[in-house]
Amino acid sequence: MAKEKTVKELEDLPGIGETTAAKLRSAGIDNLEKVATSSPHELSELAGIGVDAAKKAIQTAREATTVDYETGSQIMEKRLILGKITTSSKDLDSLIGGGIETNAITETYGKFSSGKTQLGFQLCINVQLKKEKGGLEGRVLFIDTEGTFRPERLKDIAKAKGLNAEEALDNVIYVRAETTEKQILTLERADKLIQEKNIKLIIIDSLTALFRAEFIGRGALGERQQKLNMHIHRLQGLADKYNLAVYVTNQVMDNPGILFGDPTTPIGGNVMAHAAATRLYMRKSKEDKRIVRLVDSPSMPEGECVIRITTEGIKG
Ligand code: GTP
Ligand code: MG
């Protein structure tokens, strides 16, 4: 019955063969959307085909590409299936609207020992909990760029939550990334793992450290930001596609430009500032207390709360 073949690649368009497709690709027209939005004259010139042939190719590309319109209520429905992972602190959960949300990136930044990694460990365990206990009944992919992963610590936290410690550890899939290349590739290749292992949380601790260390000096800043941006884009893509949560940590630098208030600024500039839906600033307080400040959120007002880092994990 089906007379028309499905159009997926440039080569499937009428009048576009392998050589023409290669020409287009090298000119940056590498997908159907780009053909669909080209002008006939532009396409004709780039591909070396006649204007009429170009018109036909564009028309076919337009028919083959769709724009997904959604209504407000469809989005609302999607939001209802959004999951949340408890942080194990009631106050912190309420501050951020119920927990660490899926389909979004949550970032913590702060100085050393402020508790960013510890919160990540807690989430490694909590994501495994039953839904009624604040989990997502899933596994976690932990990308460690700093070598600060501590399985024995995870065991303590798991036991405190009433989980079998060995099983809980087996549900944490760990990658040690020593270079930005490995960090980037791990995400590029994560699709299969995410589906097979029911990954419901991706942690990158720290997201920015390697980028900062590898791209040094003013000359490298542009490239760093560009690579970081693509990496974050990919993270957000995975979060959306698989309805999973993303937790990333970030360092701070002293900002001598600020005379009053707290002179610390997160690394990563604008690229990072736009990346995370929820941004949390953590700082040390007395003893085991940490102050968590909600800096940015799509739906919650700014505010602060206090959590505690204990041997059993996060409390407060
Ligand atoms: P950097 O990675 O250095 O930037 O810091 P961070 O923000 O990741 O700090 P991290 O989460 O590693 O917090 C370290 C702090 O957690 C330590 O200073 C301790 O106060 C606390 N901590 C770590 N392990 C334990 C533990 O087993 N028991 C208790 N009670 N506290 C712990
Ligand atoms: Mg850390």
Side-chain angles (χ1 to χ4, degrees), residues 111-118 121 146 148 205-206 249 251:
K111 287 190 182 169
F112 62 92
S113 280
S114 56
K116 307 179 295 288
T117 298
Q118 296 300 316
F121 288 169
E146 305 200 288
T148 51
D205 183 20
S206 128
T249 67
Q251 276 69 38

Side-chain angles (χ1 to χ4, degrees), residues 82-99:
L82 285 190
K84 278 171 188 167
I85 308 169
T86 180
T87 62
S88 285
S89 153
K90 274 211 171 99
D91 290 344
L92 180 51
D93 281 355
S94 341
L95 183 72
I96 59 179

